[in-house]
Amino acid sequence: VLDETSDIILSTVKTLVQATNVSDISFENIDFAIARGTAISMISVRRVSIRGGSVTNVGGDYAIRLWEGTNSTIDGLRIEGCDCGGVALAGGNRHTLQPSGNLVTNNDISNYANWKRTYTPGIYYEGCGHVLSHNKIHHAPHEGIAGHGNDVLVHHNALDTLCYDTSDCGAFYAGRSFSERGNIVSDNLFSNIRCTAKNLTLPFAHVNAIYLDDEMSGFWLVNNTFVDSDRGIFVGGGRDNRALNNTFINTDLPFHVDNRGMRVNPYCIPGGRFEKDLQTWRYQQSPWSDRYPEVVNTFQDRPCTPTHNVISGVRFCGSVDDNWIETSSGTSVASLLVWDNAFSYIQQDDSLCNATTSLIFGLSSIA
């Protein structure tokens, strides 16, 4: 609320820091604020570190863009009040599977996507071999983390109060690829992942904490905790996914698995979008065939069938009708077993719901 004592600041500068082809630069404990575009834009950089301080009240598609970076770090920033996304990160080489060495860690990213409300996540990644760890990402209308790439580690993050103003959304989102292999989402806390806007939820779509959309394949989802959310893990027709030792507390449905590739989406057919994408990376030759041997013969093994998924070590309480899995039309647990998927160690444990106060909402307990 403005009154006669309020300060009104109009920004005229677009970007506060812009650099290309530089190396060995460090920014420490600097507060960047009030820019019309991206606050910090670094392209083709090596060994750049941004530590401490904050980025607040900026426009642009992301507050920080670190593109084609190598061995660079974004650590310990408060990023808040942005028109669009928080951090955009790219680097590494998907052809050779050379990791970027980039690290985004210990950041508090909140209240973003104020102007462009969708598809502007707290952290967006592309490339190979990034680590996203110990970040708090919270209070935004759509995604928390999203991207495309290989061998990305997303662990020990806390994602809270996301997707609240959208439907068909994921707090962590990845979709439409057979080539994005080696990614691990582990030891994260997802809480309050629900649409709370009135009259917005679509009858055919939900809000998901982890959303592997449209036959997304090859992910490892390990030891994550889901609290007070709509859907926990959504596997939209993909293959070769591993969901191990995940816990669901007051989550309406812990898992959704379907066979959409057999019914509606042509991405997976031989000669289609997925095979052409894999051919770009020479997936049947080294290093791809060595790193991801399971993908070499994909198109000789029922490419549009959800197969070789493993769900094991599920602990849950407080789900709707005490169900742990939802399947869509044309899919059932029985058919998933016939298609060489595996389910084991599924445990309903109502005592989990009595211990939520110490686990929940303590974002500090993870990050």
Side-chain angles (χ1 to χ4, degrees):
V1 178
L2 297 176
D3 59 30
E4 63 275 9
T5 65
S6 299
D7 292 327
I8 298 176
I9 301 173
L10 300 178
S11 60
T12 58
V13 65
K14 184 176 180 181
T15 301
L16 301 178
V17 176
Q18 188 166 356
T20 304
N21 293 317
V22 298
S23 61
D24 301 296
I25 295 176
S26 178
F27 301 88
E28 295 190 5
N29 300 317
I30 300 174
D31 295 326
F32 299 90
I34 313 174
R36 300 181 68 180
T38 297
I40 303 170
S41 178
M42 313 285 282
I43 302 174
S44 298
V45 298
R46 298 161 301 284
R47 297 180 300 279
V48 166
S49 74
I50 307 169
R51 299 178 186 275
S54 63
V55 179
T56 57
N57 299 316
V58 299
D61 53 355
Y62 287 92
I64 300 174
R65 176 176 287 274
L66 202 162
W67 216 245
E68 299 176 15
T70 303
N71 296 324
S72 295
T73 300
I74 300 171
D75 178 6
L77 276 78
R78 178 175 62 88
I79 300 173
E80 184 179 12
C82 302
D83 281 355
C84 298
V87 173
L89 181 71
N93 188 318
R94 292 188 66 196
H95 287 280
T96 65
L97 301 179
Q98 177 68 33
S100 71
N102 294 325
L103 173 65
V104 179
T105 187
N106 294 315
N107 301 288
D108 189 324
I109 304 171
S110 70
N111 296 292
Y112 55 91
N114 291 309
W115 181 257
K116 188 174 184 296
R117 304 284 283 171
T118 57
Y119 301 105
T120 50
I123 301 176
Y124 175 78
Y125 65 85
E126 288 187 10
C128 183
H130 310 302
V131 176
L132 316 178
S133 73
H134 296 88
N135 300 288
K136 303 175 185 178
I137 304 172
H138 55 107
H139 293 89
H142 200 233
E143 299 164 335
I145 299 174
H148 301 280
N150 292 71
D151 300 338
V152 175
L153 176 60
V154 179
H155 73 148
H156 293 286
N157 300 284
L159 291 88
D160 179 75
T161 315
L162 299 169
C163 298
Y164 61 75
D165 204 22
T166 49
S167 189
D168 195 20
C169 172
F172 175 89
Y173 179 90
R176 303 185 181 94
S177 177
F178 279 178
S179 69
E180 296 177 23
R181 301 276 166 158
N183 298 301
I184 300 173
V185 181
S186 69
D187 299 285
N188 301 285
L189 171 64
F190 296 85
S191 55
N192 297 313
I193 311 300
R194 294 184 180 277
C195 175
T196 57
K198 292 183 178 180
N199 304 316
L200 183 59
T201 301
L202 301 173
F204 56 86
H206 289 272
V207 165
N208 312 287
I210 295 178
Y211 193 172
L212 303 185
D213 196 10
D214 288 345
E215 299 119 80
M216 194 70 192
S217 299
F219 266 76
W220 287 75
L221 313 173
V222 182
N223 201 37
N224 299 287
T225 299
F226 305 82
V227 180
D228 193 19
S229 297
D230 182 353
R231 297 295 189 270
I233 295 174
F234 186 105
V235 180
R239 56 196 290 132
D240 303 318
N241 295 295
R242 301 287 185 269
L244 310 176
N245 300 326
N246 295 288
T247 300
F248 305 83
I249 300 170
N250 289 324
T251 294
D252 295 350
L253 275 167
F255 278 90
H256 170 100
V257 183
D258 64 48
N259 68 335
R260 64 186 56 196
M262 301 171 71
R263 297 181 290 112
V264 292
N265 291 324
Y267 307 124
C268 53
I269 60 174
R273 168 176 166 174
F274 287 175
E275 186 170 24
K276 290 176 181 176
D277 175 51
L278 279 168
Q279 289 168 347
T280 299
W281 313 110
R282 300 179 180 178
Y283 73 103
Q284 293 177 316
Q285 302 175 29
S286 183
W288 276 67
S289 59
D290 299 329
R291 185 79 61 83
Y292 317 122
E294 73 280 1
V295 80
V296 171
N297 296 314
T298 291
F299 293 95
Q300 289 74 50
D301 180 20
R302 305 162 292 173
C304 292
T305 301
T307 185
H308 309 307
N309 296 296
V310 175
I311 297 176
S312 181
V314 177
R315 298 176 67 214
F316 73 100
C317 72
S319 65
V320 173
D321 297 327
D322 293 331
N323 289 331
W324 74 272
I325 189 169
E326 168 192 66
T327 57
S328 61
S329 57
T331 318
S332 65
V333 170
S335 63
L336 289 168
L337 291 171
V338 168
W339 297 330
D340 297 315
N341 299 282
F343 308 133
S344 61
Y345 302 105
I346 314 299
Q347 178 188 5
Q348 181 175 352
D349 183 355
D350 292 334
S351 68
L352 291 169
C353 286
N354 299 325
T356 54
T357 351
S358 58
L359 174 68
I360 312 193
F361 318 154
L363 296 177
S364 60
S365 66
I366 292 249

